[in-house]
Amino acid sequence: MRGLSGLFVLACGLALAGCASSEEPPAQASVAEAANDPFEPMNRKIFDMNEGFDKVVLLPVAQVYVDVVPEPARDSVHNFLENLNLPITFANDLLQGEMTRAGQTLGRFTVNTTVGVGGLFDIASDWGIPDHQEDFGLTLGKWGVGEGPYLVVPFFGPDPPRDVTGQVVDIFLDPTTYVHIDHHIYWSAAREVAEAIDLRSRNIDNIESIERSSVDYYASLRSLYRQLRNNDIRDGKPDVADLPNF
Amino acid sequence: MSRPDPFSARLAAVRAFVAAALIGVAAVFVAAPARAATPAETFVQTNVDKGMQILNDHGVSTAQRNTQFRAFLLTLTDLKRIALYTLGPARRGATPAEQDAFVEAFKDFAFAVYGTEFAKYSGQTLKVTGSIQRSDGDYVVTTVLVDPNAPKNQEPIEVDFRVIGTEGKFFVTDITVAGLDLAITEQDQFSSYLAQHDNDIKTLTTDLHQHAEHIRSTGQLQ
């Protein structure tokens, strides 16, 4: 669902981008080019729409969720959702040849699914099994694939072509895709909504802080998204060679 | 560390950014690292100790503490160098007067943004784990932020200090937290802002001051 919607938006974006970018003043166009954001005017409009949706719908829902649901229950929801994604991480660990991390992921999934009652409790962390997440967008990055032009997708935020591709592949790496569930689309939608509310509720203060510290919120998030993904591709190893030249 | 969907990744970026924007700067003020093998590491450790003293001095008012903190930061960092870096290519077209005005606005903005957040991180500790010399007088001091209240499955947050200079004349010029570089982030947003405003540095300078004043007066977003 996510990947397909992303591809649809990508197609629309490619169709619209020529008109949008051709009207940019030269200076703005050069900055957009330097930022590898050729569709910036369109991306900013989608970003504004996403922000509106966040302010009107997602944030209020997340705030009510925090106010009404006790923290231990919210933690269990979070643990459950995290556990559901571990098979995707495991598959990508294997594709990256990271056998030690694959073992850790398998261990976490096994422990939390069994002792942790279907993933509701994070017993694996208590037992010292480290946590990490992977997706096929990161796997492509590790294989040397570039991210492509920056894109913002309605409701989902930053999503350049490499990550769109990754999400499509991750659908096929997710075992729940192959589990027969009546009205599977409702299950998928509910999972998406739960993940969105869970993550938004855990970042209410954080998002406010980043917005407050930005004179150009869109550009800040674009920069941070890329830095974060690149850091993840390096598995968090510092990149001391490519630092600012003061 | 990212989630396997873009929305999650965006939120993860936000979470990590906050570490960069808030914890990263606040880390200068929190507890002492365990080791200090090189002069650059010693510099970081010493200033971490100084920052902690300021942060935990409850014998003064919050305003006084903020003033002390600001003075401390000014001695610790080369804010002018950082500010001019964040201007990016626009610096070349700016007059010296415009650059000076921008530097002052950058300082005003930085202190306003970070000034109210330090106390949140006073319970955390910072441990120096080593350093890398990039060239003569250019070091990266690596540290780990230890938060006793962090979720049990949260990986330690790595905080790297870019230290430039020689022993006795070191300055911090950049902080990288969980792979997110503060100077790069600011340059990216300022470059984009200028592109949206006819490359007018005066507009950015004015907006930074206004942004800072708005934060100081209301504590709210613009």
Side-chain angles (χ1 to χ4, degrees):
Chain A
M1 283 268 300
R2 284 176 304 220
L4 294 176
S5 67
L7 285 176
F8 173 75
V9 172
L10 171 62
C12 295
L14 290 172
L16 293 170
C19 299
S21 60
S22 65
E23 296 173 358
E24 293 175 70
Q28 186 170 332
S30 65
V31 169
E33 186 178 336
N36 194 15
D37 191 358
F39 314 131
E40 182 170 345
M42 179 193 70
N43 283 339
R44 282 186 181 272
K45 288 175 182 169
I46 297 172
F47 177 80
D48 290 343
M49 186 196 75
N50 287 350
E51 287 307 301
F53 175 76
D54 179 66
K55 295 287 189 296
V56 173
V57 178
L58 188 55
L59 176 58
V61 170
Q63 190 63 63
V64 169
Y65 178 64
V66 170
D67 293 341
V68 171
V69 180
E71 186 172 0
R74 282 185 276 123
D75 284 345
S76 282
V77 170
H78 176 74
N79 292 337
F80 177 75
L81 294 169
E82 291 260 314
N83 200 54
L84 276 182
N85 286 323
L86 286 181
I88 297 173
T89 294
F90 175 71
N92 282 289
D93 285 335
L94 292 178
L95 290 169
Q96 294 167 22
E98 297 279 0
M99 296 306 163
T100 300
R101 285 160 70 93
Q104 292 168 347
T105 304
L106 182 61
R108 286 188 63 82
F109 183 75
T110 304
V111 169
N112 284 346
T113 302
T114 54
V115 186
V117 194
L120 292 175
F121 301 98
D122 183 10
I123 306 299
S125 290
D126 292 338
W127 291 5
I129 306 174
D131 185 24
H132 74 279
Q133 288 88 40
E134 293 288 347
D135 58 71
F136 195 70
L138 296 178
T139 298
L140 288 174
K142 288 179 179 178
W143 289 352
V145 177
E147 82 170 4
Y150 185 74
L151 292 174
V152 180
V153 174
F155 306 111
F156 293 109
D159 205 3
R162 183 178 63 198
D163 292 339
V164 171
T165 305
Q167 286 138 32
V168 173
V169 173
D170 284 336
I171 292 172
F172 295 100
L173 296 178
D174 185 351
T176 65
T177 302
Y178 306 100
V179 176
H180 177 75
I181 304 172
D182 287 338
H183 307 296
H184 199 289
I185 192 171
Y186 294 124
W187 152 256
S188 298
R191 183 174 166 185
E192 294 290 341
V193 170
E195 285 194 343
I197 294 172
D198 171 57
L199 282 161
R200 189 63 177 95
S201 69
R202 298 168 77 86
N203 289 278
I204 290 173
D205 291 341
N206 292 348
I207 291 175
E208 182 182 329
S209 294
I210 184 175
E211 190 171 358
R212 179 166 53 189
S213 65
S214 300
V215 291
D216 189 331
Y217 190 31
Y218 168 87
S220 290
L221 285 181
R222 181 180 63 196
S223 178
L224 293 165
Y225 177 82
R226 283 177 165 154
Q227 290 184 63
L228 180 82
R229 295 293 283 178
N230 288 335
N231 183 64
D232 288 344
I233 289 168
R234 298 192 307 270
D235 286 334
K237 297 180 179 69
D239 181 16
V240 296
D242 191 21
L243 292 176
N245 181 12
F246 292 99
Chain B
M1 284 294 292
S2 68
R3 306 293 310 130
D5 67 78
F7 184 61
S8 302
R10 192 188 104 178
L11 290 177
V14 170
R15 183 169 57 220
F17 171 82
V18 171
L22 305 180
I23 301 172
V25 175
V28 177
F29 315 101
V30 295
R35 57 179 286 277
T38 70
E41 293 174 27
T42 303
F43 167 76
V44 171
Q45 177 173 356
T46 301
N47 284 289
V48 162
D49 290 340
K50 286 182 184 175
M52 188 177 180
Q53 274 187 322
I54 295 172
L55 190 66
N56 290 330
D57 183 5
H58 298 295
V60 299
S61 67
T62 301
Q64 287 174 314
R65 197 179 306 127
N66 286 343
T67 301
Q68 291 176 10
F69 170 68
R70 179 175 178 137
F72 168 70
L73 253 195
L74 286 171
T75 63
L76 177 67
T77 60
D78 189 346
L79 280 176
K80 181 176 182 180
R81 189 185 296 207
I82 299 169
L84 292 176
Y85 170 80
T86 65
L87 262 185
R91 178 185 176 184
R92 288 194 294 269
T95 66
E98 287 175 334
Q99 291 185 23
D100 289 343
F102 172 78
V103 169
E104 289 307 309
F106 179 83
K107 292 178 182 176
D108 191 26
F109 173 72
F111 287 123
V113 167
Y114 305 135
T116 58
E117 303 287 347
F118 299 129
K120 293 181 183 177
Y121 303 94
S122 61
Q124 299 174 4
T125 59
L126 189 70
K127 180 181 179 183
V128 172
T129 57
S131 63
I132 300 165
Q133 182 171 2
R134 299 181 74 240
S135 62
D136 277 351
D138 188 350
Y139 307 87
V140 175
V141 177
T142 57
T143 73
V144 173
L145 191 68
V146 181
D147 180 2
N149 299 315
K152 57 188 176 185
N153 62 344
Q154 179 175 301
E155 295 177 6
I157 296 174
E158 295 183 12
V159 182
D160 298 339
F161 292 86
R162 182 88 175 273
V163 177
I164 289 178
T166 56
E167 189 168 1
K169 293 181 181 178
F170 283 127
F171 290 97
V172 172
T173 56
D174 199 7
I175 298 173
T176 303
V177 182
L180 302 179
D181 188 300
L182 271 181
I184 289 175
T185 305
E186 298 293 21
Q187 188 190 67
D188 285 348
Q189 74 155 328
F190 291 162
S191 295
S192 186
Y193 178 97
L194 287 168
Q196 301 286 320
H197 294 82
D198 299 324
N199 282 315
D200 186 351
I201 292 175
K202 290 178 182 174
T203 301
L204 175 58
T205 300
T206 302
D207 203 357
L208 286 175
H209 278 306
Q210 290 176 346
H211 209 82
E213 182 56 35
H214 184 79
I215 292 170
R216 278 193 296 268
S217 61
T218 66
Q220 300 297 316
L221 301 176
Q222 283 189 301

